[in-house]
Amino acid sequence: MTSTRNDRMMPWTHELNMPLRMLVTAAAGIGAALVGTFAHRMGASMNIPYGLMLAFAILGMSAWCARSRCGVTGLAVHLIFSSATAWLIAAGATGGDVLTPAGFNTDTLPYFSQHAGYIWLLGGIIVQVVLLLMPPAWFRIDARHADGVRSYRAAEETETA
């Protein structure tokens, strides 16, 4: 039985045309950077950076999806939009309030309170560059038929099309 596009189950974003997939990828990069920026400071005051780990996990999963959806180009778009969002937020508002404090040194604050901002901004780039260096097979989503059985032939047809 030959497989048609309608009886395979893929994530909805993989079924879009390329410009829409890139738009979804850019929006995901912005969203991951926003959530990560708000989360990265959790636990820093106690020197337990669980928020930083959560922020990197969210950014890494979003970047994995971007590469799975659009390949290396999609990961590059994700990197550009997520980094630009995080760095623009770190630049601060006109009122002087910042969400990513960085660049201060004192003996009265724990290490992660002082450095979580820099770790978030530079680590976000590093996480995505590491994903860029991973083999393409780690980002392939095999097509599944409606009955839940994997179809490697259908996945190969999708890649060549």
Side-chain angles (χ1 to χ4, degrees), residues 57-149:
I58 291 168
L59 186 70
M61 287 184 281
S62 181
W64 183 92
C65 290
R67 182 155 178 205
S68 170
R69 185 183 311 112
C70 302
V72 172
T73 307
L75 185 57
V77 167
H78 190 277
L79 173 65
I80 291 166
F81 278 88
S82 64
S83 297
T85 301
W87 282 87
L88 285 172
I89 291 172
T94 57
D97 295 333
V98 292
L99 293 174
T100 312
F104 62 93
N105 192 5
T106 180
D107 293 334
T108 60
L109 291 174
Y111 177 82
F112 282 108
S113 279
Q114 297 177 44
H115 299 95
Y118 281 136
I119 294 169
W120 164 241
L121 292 173
L122 298 175
I125 295 171
I126 292 169
V127 164
Q128 294 178 79
V129 168
V130 167
L131 284 172
L132 179 68
L133 301 175
M134 301 294 176
W138 291 7
F139 301 93
R140 187 173 315 135
I141 296 178
D142 296 325
R144 292 185 180 267
H145 287 280
D147 61 1
V149 178

